[in-house]
């Protein structure tokens, strides 16, 4: 019986093969078309391309046919690395015209056209090289837009401007919350990432770009602006709530030729730190304290003010918070003793001899003072108190800044820019802007302009119903005088309140 079944099976197989051969040879009974005809499109070759990260890549494909609603299009890349090969879709349009949001490196670019009626497709490929972004030296302006925070960029040479970079160039959603700060780390950032294969790769010596708002935080690769970390990836253990108020970078060791930065972050009044070998923010500094949202560079022992305990404190690179001591080893208790109500901490100079002002009202005599604090880090060297009038407009100020070259404090109330002379207590209006043009930012910024000339300016941001303006007012003389008859250097849409100047 077994032989019978085997014989029938072999016979059936032979008949099936014969039938298949007969059908295959009988071409006269069927219509045969080429795959190109079935696809309805013939593609020409793609040329290899090199593009800067975040630049718009425009390619008009060479093709015959393939037009209309009956076709779909796909542009994508595959990374050329051996590990963690990644596919990124660039566009689903017939022509490619998009910013290239890829890390610097080598890729293969693919273009595929599919006939929707039968699923037949044609594709071509070519090498694609992505180089570092040309968003480098210049002005970075954080602003509020619908849905959150973005930033505009203006190149130092004046040849490039990008509006709403996060949304238009990176294709990301605006960051949640209002602007707080930005910082670049130049070649001292380390980053770990787990690939699809479960392996962890570590990149060292990266440049990193931190962008911080009141409720959000991202870190981008400073070379190509690819995303390194989002909010919840920033911390070893994310805080239970986010209310960021300050971002601070100590790059003191660079003056000694070391490629090292230490970073400080204030969230809900508590400090977090990040060293160059970590790449993530550590746990909040222990203790019962609440920091005023400004740190003063004190050469690896930053100075701050503890509003809860009314003490000047030092913040070390490991996040330790300690009461500041005098040069002679005793605790500096002036503010505690006077029960001062501090309204502002204003950095004046930083480094080996950090100096800052504290604007306060004494709880003992009810008088108003600007305390001039000089240091020998990590110690308080001297505190000199200058009384000023109780009806001074300085008491209404929320936006303050001090230059390094004059003993004055600039401050803003609505559309007026004031100058307060610390030693005399004298207030004067430096400039009144147009009605409805209110000041949101003041900072003393130094650098080299596009012509190679050094500048020392007070930079002011104002906002109107039509957008923001940025003014660069050169300092003249040594008493804080400014050249104020200047036109806006930059203008943009949105409500701006923070500016960073970056010079490579």
């Amino acid at each position: 019986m077994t032989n019978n079944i085997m014989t029938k099976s072999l016979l059936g197989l032979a008949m099936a093969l014969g039938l298949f051969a007969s059908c295959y040879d009988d071409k006269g009974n069927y219509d045969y078309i080429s795959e190109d005809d079935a696809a309805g499109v013939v593609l020409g070759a793609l040329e290899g391309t090199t593009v800067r990260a975040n630049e718009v890549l425009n390619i008009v494909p060479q093709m015959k046919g393939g037009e209309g609603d009956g076709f779909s299009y796909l542009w994508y890349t595959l990374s050329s690395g051996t590990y963690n090969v990644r596919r990124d879709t660039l566009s689903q349009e017939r022509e490619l015209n998009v910013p290239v949001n890829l890390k610097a490196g080598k890729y293969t670019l693919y273009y595929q056209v599919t006939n929707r009626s039968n699923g037949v497709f044609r594709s071509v490929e070519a090498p694609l090289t992505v180089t570092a972004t040309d968003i480098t030296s210049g002005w970075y302006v954080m602003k509020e837009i619908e849905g959150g925070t973005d930033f505009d960029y203006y190149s130092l040479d004046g040849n490039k401007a990008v509006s709403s970079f996060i949304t238009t160039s990176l294709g990301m959603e605006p960051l949640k919350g209002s602007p707080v700060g930005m910082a670049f780390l130049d070649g001292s950032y380390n980053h770990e990432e787990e690939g699809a294969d479960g392996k962890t790769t570590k990149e060292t010596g990266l440049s990193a770009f931190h962008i911080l708002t009141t409720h959000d935080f991202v870190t981008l690769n400073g070379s190509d602006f690819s995303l390194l970390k989002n909010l919840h990836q920033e911390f070893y253990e994310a805080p239970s709530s986010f209310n960021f108020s300050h971002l601070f970078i100590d790059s003191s060791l660079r003056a000694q030729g070391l490629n090292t930065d230490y970073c400080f972050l204030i969230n809900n009044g508590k400090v977090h730190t990040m060293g160059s070998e970590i790449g993530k923010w550590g746990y909040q500094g222990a203790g019962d304290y609440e920091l005023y949202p400004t740190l003063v560079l004190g050469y690896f022992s930053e100075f701050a003010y503890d509003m809860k305990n009314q003490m000047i404190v030092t913040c070390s690179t490991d996040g330790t918070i300690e009461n500041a001591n005098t040069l002679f080893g005793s605790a500096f208790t002036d503010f505690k003793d006077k029960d001062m109500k501090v309204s502002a901490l204003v950095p004046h100079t930083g480094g080996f001899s950090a100096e800052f002002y504290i604007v306060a009202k004494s709880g003992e005599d009810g008088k108003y003072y600007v305390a001039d604090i000089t240091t020998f880090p990590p110690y308080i060297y001297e505190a000199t108190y200058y009384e000023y009038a109780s009806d001074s407009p300085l008491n209404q100020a929320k936006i303050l800044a001090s230059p390094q070259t004059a003993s004055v404090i600039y401050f803003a109330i609505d559309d007026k820019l004031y100058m307060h002379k610390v030693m005399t207590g004298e207030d004067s209006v430096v400039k009144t802007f147009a009605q409805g043009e209110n000041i949101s930012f003041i900072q003393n910024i130094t650098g080299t302009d596009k012509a190679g000339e050094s500048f020392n300016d007070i930079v002011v941001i104002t906002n109107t119903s039509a957008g923001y303006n940025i003014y660069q007012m050169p300092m003249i003389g040594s008493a804080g005088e400014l050249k104020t008859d200047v036109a806006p250097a930059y203008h943009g849409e949105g409500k701006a309140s923070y500016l960073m100047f970056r010079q490579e």
Side-chain angles (χ1 to χ4, degrees), residues 30-334:
Y30 302 92
D31 293 326
Y32 287 90
I33 60 175
S34 70
E35 289 189 3
D36 284 339
D37 291 335
V41 62
V42 177
L43 297 178
L46 283 179
E47 294 184 358
T49 304
T50 297
V51 64
R52 286 185 180 272
N54 306 303
E55 273 192 349
V56 172
L57 178 58
N58 177 241
I59 299 178
V60 179
Q62 301 300 311
M63 57 194 299
K64 181 179 179 181
E67 298 178 352
D69 295 337
F71 295 88
S72 64
Y73 314 97
L74 177 63
W75 297 86
Y76 67 94
T77 61
L78 288 179
S79 57
S80 298
T82 305
Y83 301 102
N84 302 328
V85 175
R86 176 175 172 177
R87 172 170 167 159
D88 287 285
T89 297
L90 300 182
S91 174
Q92 294 181 339
E93 300 295 328
R94 185 176 186 274
E95 297 180 5
L96 183 63
N97 187 29
V98 296
V100 178
N101 302 322
L102 298 170
K103 291 184 177 182
K106 294 186 179 297
Y107 300 82
T108 302
L109 172 67
Y110 294 86
Y111 179 50
Q112 178 178 304
V113 181
T114 302
N115 190 321
R116 295 182 188 270
S117 66
N118 56 24
V120 179
F121 66 87
R122 280 287 174 263
S123 67
V124 288
E125 63 185 73
L128 172 67
T129 300
V130 180
T131 59
T133 180
D134 61 350
I135 309 300
T136 54
S137 296
W139 304 86
Y140 296 69
V141 185
M142 293 186 78
K143 62 180 187 178
E144 294 179 61
I145 60 172
E146 185 176 355
T149 290
D150 208 324
F151 75 90
D152 295 343
Y153 168 74
Y154 303 92
S155 64
L156 183 60
D157 60 15
N159 294 329
K160 189 177 185 67
V162 183
S163 179
S164 300
F165 191 93
I166 292 174
T167 54
T168 61
S169 293
L170 301 183
M172 297 168 55
E173 294 294 322
L175 301 187
K176 299 178 179 65
S178 303
V180 170
M182 294 175 153
F184 260 93
L185 301 181
D186 188 9
S188 65
Y189 186 81
N190 296 330
H191 177 65
E192 291 185 349
E193 186 171 344
E194 184 175 329
D197 57 2
K199 295 181 179 180
T200 298
T201 58
K202 183 175 181 178
E203 297 177 276
T204 61
L206 297 179
S207 294
F209 179 24
H210 293 310
I211 309 173
L212 182 71
T213 69
T214 52
H215 298 101
D216 211 345
F217 191 9
V218 296
T219 299
L220 307 179
N221 187 314
S223 173
D224 51 37
F225 282 15
S226 57
L227 179 66
L228 293 178
K229 291 184 178 72
N230 60 31
L231 174 63
H232 290 280
Q233 296 168 329
E234 293 282 1
F235 298 86
Y236 280 115
E237 181 178 310
S240 58
S241 64
F242 300 106
N243 186 19
F244 300 115
S245 58
H246 191 60
L247 175 65
F248 183 81
I249 308 298
D250 185 342
S251 300
S252 300
L253 278 181
R254 291 187 177 273
Q256 301 181 26
L258 298 176
N259 189 29
T260 301
D261 298 288
Y262 287 95
C263 309
F264 297 80
L265 181 70
I266 297 178
N267 176 51
N268 287 311
K270 305 293 186 181
V271 69
H272 298 258
T273 62
M274 179 177 68
S276 58
E277 293 302 319
I278 299 174
K280 283 192 174 186
W281 296 90
Y283 302 99
Q284 70 178 30
D288 185 20
Y289 63 91
E290 183 182 357
L291 295 186
Y292 184 88
T294 298
L295 296 179
V296 180
L297 177 64
Y299 198 75
F300 300 113
S301 186
E302 324 310 330
F303 293 96
Y305 181 73
D306 177 3
M307 297 182 289
K308 187 169 186 176
N309 299 296
Q310 296 178 296
M311 298 283 288
I312 294 177
V313 296
T314 57
C315 305
S316 66
T317 55
D318 63 1
T320 302
I321 304 296
E322 296 180 333
N323 292 341
N325 290 326
T326 69
L327 193 59
F328 305 103
S330 59
F332 182 79
T333 57
D334 284 27

Side-chain angles (χ1 to χ4, degrees), residues 408-486:
V408 301
I409 297 174
Y410 301 104
F411 63 95
I413 300 176
D414 299 329
D415 59 0
K416 290 182 172 57
L417 176 66
Y418 290 83
M419 182 175 68
H420 177 86
K421 293 185 178 180
V422 173
M423 295 181 181
T424 65
E426 177 186 354
D427 296 308
S428 60
V429 176
V430 176
K431 182 177 177 66
T432 300
F433 294 90
Q435 187 173 3
E437 186 175 4
N438 294 328
I439 300 168
S440 62
F441 175 89
I442 310 169
Q443 188 173 330
N444 183 202
I445 296 179
T446 61
T448 305
D449 63 20
K450 62 182 179 182
E453 299 292 330
S454 297
F455 66 84
N456 180 15
D457 296 345
I458 297 299
V459 180
V460 175
I461 299 178
T462 65
N463 289 289
T464 71
S465 59
Y468 66 81
N469 294 310
I470 297 174
Y471 297 87
Q472 292 179 244
M473 301 180 185
M475 296 196 66
I476 50 179
S478 59
E481 299 93 340
L482 302 177
K483 176 178 172 58
T484 60
D485 57 339
V486 295

Side-chain angles (χ1 to χ4, degrees), residues 348-362:
H348 185 42
T349 61
F352 287 107
S353 57
E355 184 177 353
F356 53 96
Y357 300 124
I358 290 183
V359 182
K361 178 184 178 181
S362 170

